């Protein structure tokens, strides 16, 4: 599960090793036993990015079959916390940096043009099952 926080034409990203070629990713993670999706996203955003969020609309549900994962993406709005106050040791992959990045810079960080366009256009198609993650450019 991941959260997308967009403020003033910038998106919240983490710099850490990923399963792919890029080092920047959306904050998020796994749902713990007994945890709701909302509670999990709030916890992950605080642990990984130092931000408290209000969970918004469901954006996309995608398959990530290679990892046997259902990928759920929510819109989130920052309501508190301290950007970059990463909780050490909570993630298996160390987080090097947390920052807001201009949407136009996403392709230079390894994100697809398609994902950039979706973000720039207000994430149309929210709430839809999109098939493979590639359908949203991830």
């Amino acid at each position: 599960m991941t959260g997308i926080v967009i403020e003033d034409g910038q998106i919240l990203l983490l710099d850490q090793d990923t399963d792919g070629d890029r080092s920047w990713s959306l904050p998020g993670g796994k749902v713990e036993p007994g945890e709701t999706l909302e509670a999990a996203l709030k916890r992950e955003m605080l642990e990984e990015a130092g931000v408290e969020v209000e969970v918004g609309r469901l954006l996309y549900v995608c398959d990530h079959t290679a990892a046997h994962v259902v990928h759920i993406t929510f819109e989130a709005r920052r309501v508190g916390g301290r950007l970059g106050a990463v909780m050490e040791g909570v993630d298996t992959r160390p987080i090097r940096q947390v920052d807001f990045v201009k949407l136009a810079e996403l392709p230079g960080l390894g994100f697809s043009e398609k994902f950039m366009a979706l973000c720039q256009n207000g994430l149309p198609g929210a709430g839809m099952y999109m098939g493979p993650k590639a359908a949203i450019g991830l």
Side-chain angles (χ1 to χ4, degrees), residues 115-127:
F115 182 72
M116 179 186 69
L118 284 171
C119 291
Q120 289 173 326
N121 292 318
L123 300 150

Side-chain angles (χ1 to χ4, degrees), residues 15-88:
D15 180 11
Q16 73 179 148
D17 295 332
T18 66
D19 291 332
D21 296 335
R22 65 175 194 267
S23 69
W24 288 88
S25 62
L26 297 169
K30 296 179 182 176
V31 179
E32 299 293 333
E35 197 173 40
T36 66
L37 295 175
E38 179 181 26
L41 185 60
K42 287 180 175 185
R43 177 185 51 76
E44 288 287 348
M45 299 292 277
L46 186 59
E47 290 176 356
E48 292 188 345
V51 297
E52 296 171 4
V53 298
E54 179 179 276
V55 178
R57 62 191 171 137
L58 171 66
L59 295 177
Y60 304 107
V61 175
C62 299
D63 299 314
H64 186 34
T65 55
H68 304 288
V69 169
V70 174
H71 187 79
I72 303 170
T73 303
F74 286 94
E75 187 173 55
R77 185 175 63 86
R78 181 167 52 150
V79 295
R82 188 169 55 88
L83 183 67
V86 177
M87 294 183 184
E88 295 298 323

